[in-house]
Amino acid sequence: MGGGTSVLERLADGKISSSVELVSINTDARALRGLEKLGIKAVQVGENVTHGYGTGGDRDKGEFAAKQDEEVLRSVLQNTDMLFITAGLGGGAGSGIAPVVASFAKEQDILSVAIVTVPFCFEGNKRKCVAEEAIMKLEQEVDALIVIQNDNLMELPEAKQMTIANAFDLTDEVLGNAVTLITQIITTTGDVNLDFADIKTILRQSNSSDAVFAVGESEKGDLSEAMERACNSPLLKRSIHGAQGALLYIIGGTDMSMYDIGTAVFAMQEKMAGNESIIWGYMEGNNEEAVTVLLIATDFINEEIF
């Protein structure tokens, strides 16, 4: 899946934990070339359907191709505790393959998170409809679904000077940061520790897959600034207003005070539903000057979209 592959390349370049396996799935053999050298496992599906080419934007063909190689995909998912599915929706491969992979993960009781992008409005109604259909299918299969709106890039102050490459790098960075920090939480022992069970609790406490994964940073070590940036990420389809469940993980310096943490959590609570369940953790970072927060919000009681 082309959009998803660029995220995998970013993760591979970032030296992600060895406990994480990166897998690119596509019908297009050419798109998979060279990935093994980067440490990304390449899986071609539907060779007898597309003959090694793309799907031509046909979502049904992408879905059929994935189902034709069901055994291969199920084998890839073996011994997996948590699965991240990332794809650029609107085309045939990502929109068709991602929901099929998600359905296999659900059958195997694998905690799954889909982080996807939707097309710019200028790409036309057909691609928009393909993306919407894929989103509806993913909602039925994954534990959490995070939708990044490419159109929101147009609203950023720097939009007029932003190149196409810069725009897609920004969305890739959002996706990559979420995966990297979740992995860090699971594989690293913090001062106030969180683990896989905590993430599973937050993601599965809701009957809905709607979720917000956001990362906020402050280079000057201001936790409130980092929280504000996480709570108001311009690329996400919604804010954290109305969320009943949240996981907050803070990476900061040795001088981080409980007052700072308490203030940040209270500010987050004010944006939530009022009957919220919050799990938080803290770990000292390598950079004493900076603070990073990862925020996961789930179990929304409203349909507010910003």
Side-chain angles (χ1 to χ4, degrees):
M1 298 175 281
T5 298
S6 63
V7 179
L8 295 183
E9 290 173 346
R10 174 182 287 274
L11 290 171
D13 188 53
K15 306 296 186 297
I16 198 166
S17 169
S18 59
S19 64
V20 178
E21 183 179 21
L22 303 177
V23 182
S24 180
I25 306 168
N26 209 322
T27 63
D28 189 343
R30 293 170 300 174
L32 296 171
R33 290 174 186 165
L35 294 181
E36 298 282 0
K37 294 180 180 179
L38 301 176
I40 302 171
K41 183 176 181 177
V43 177
Q44 183 185 354
V45 295
E47 186 173 5
N48 61 336
V49 178
T50 68
H51 308 291
Y53 294 102
T55 64
D58 187 334
R59 200 205 70 80
D60 290 336
K61 186 178 287 187
E63 179 179 325
F64 185 61
K67 290 179 177 178
Q68 288 294 293
D69 284 295
E70 176 178 345
E71 290 186 10
V72 174
L73 295 179
R74 288 188 182 277
S75 176
V76 169
L77 294 175
Q78 284 184 352
N79 302 315
T80 299
D81 294 316
M82 185 171 186
L83 174 69
F84 287 94
I85 301 171
T86 179
L89 302 183
S95 303
I97 297 172
V100 175
V101 173
S103 70
F104 295 158
K106 184 176 183 179
E107 290 173 11
Q108 295 174 229
D109 196 33
I110 297 170
L111 187 68
S112 60
V113 177
I115 311 177
V116 299
T117 60
V118 295
F120 290 99
C121 63
F122 59 70
E123 294 183 69
N125 193 55
K126 181 179 179 180
R127 286 181 63 84
K128 178 183 176 182
C129 290
V130 169
E132 289 176 347
E133 185 177 357
I135 287 172
M136 286 190 292
K137 288 181 175 290
L138 283 168
E139 285 176 336
Q140 300 171 18
E141 307 294 351
V142 298
D143 294 293
L145 174 62
I146 298 92
V147 179
I148 293 180
Q149 304 282 357
N150 279 341
D151 273 344
N152 288 358
L153 290 169
M154 309 289 284
E155 300 176 13
L156 296 176
E158 63 270 29
K160 290 185 177 180
Q161 288 76 41
M162 186 180 294
T163 66
I164 295 174
N166 290 151
F168 287 115
D169 279 347
L170 183 56
T171 56
D172 288 350
E173 182 179 0
V174 172
L175 297 171
N177 283 346
V179 175
T180 300
L181 285 174
I182 286 289
T183 303
Q184 188 173 5
I185 291 173
I186 295 172
T187 60
T188 306
T189 301
D191 298 86
V192 179
N193 199 45
L194 296 181
D195 57 22
F196 176 72
D198 294 312
I199 296 172
K200 189 173 184 179
T201 295
I202 286 295
L203 294 183
R204 287 195 168 169
Q205 73 176 26
S206 171
N207 292 324
S208 169
S209 63
D210 198 10
V212 168
F213 273 51
V215 178
E217 296 180 296
S218 171
E219 294 182 358
K220 58 184 180 182
D222 187 333
L223 178 56
S224 295
E225 179 183 59
M227 280 292 298
E228 186 65 22
R229 289 179 175 176
C231 291
N232 296 284
S233 176
L235 297 182
L236 299 174
K237 74 171 185 177
R238 69 179 305 154
S239 69
I240 68 168
H241 287 277
Q244 297 181 95
L247 181 146
L248 175 65
Y249 196 68
I250 303 166
I251 302 173
T254 55
D255 60 347
M256 181 71 65
S257 70
M258 283 305 302
Y259 176 83
D260 292 334
I261 293 173
T263 300
V265 173
F266 282 132
M268 182 176 68
Q269 284 178 319
E270 290 179 356
K271 294 180 170 67
M272 295 177 68
N275 188 31
E276 65 279 344
S277 171
I278 297 174
I279 300 174
W280 70 278
Y282 172 76
M283 181 177 70
E284 288 184 13
N286 296 323
N287 185 350
E288 287 286 333
E289 301 292 323
V291 60
T292 300
V293 300
L294 170 68
L295 173 64
I296 303 174
T298 63
D299 200 14
F300 290 87
I301 61 172
N302 60 42
E303 298 299 325
E304 177 192 349
I305 303 294
F306 71 82

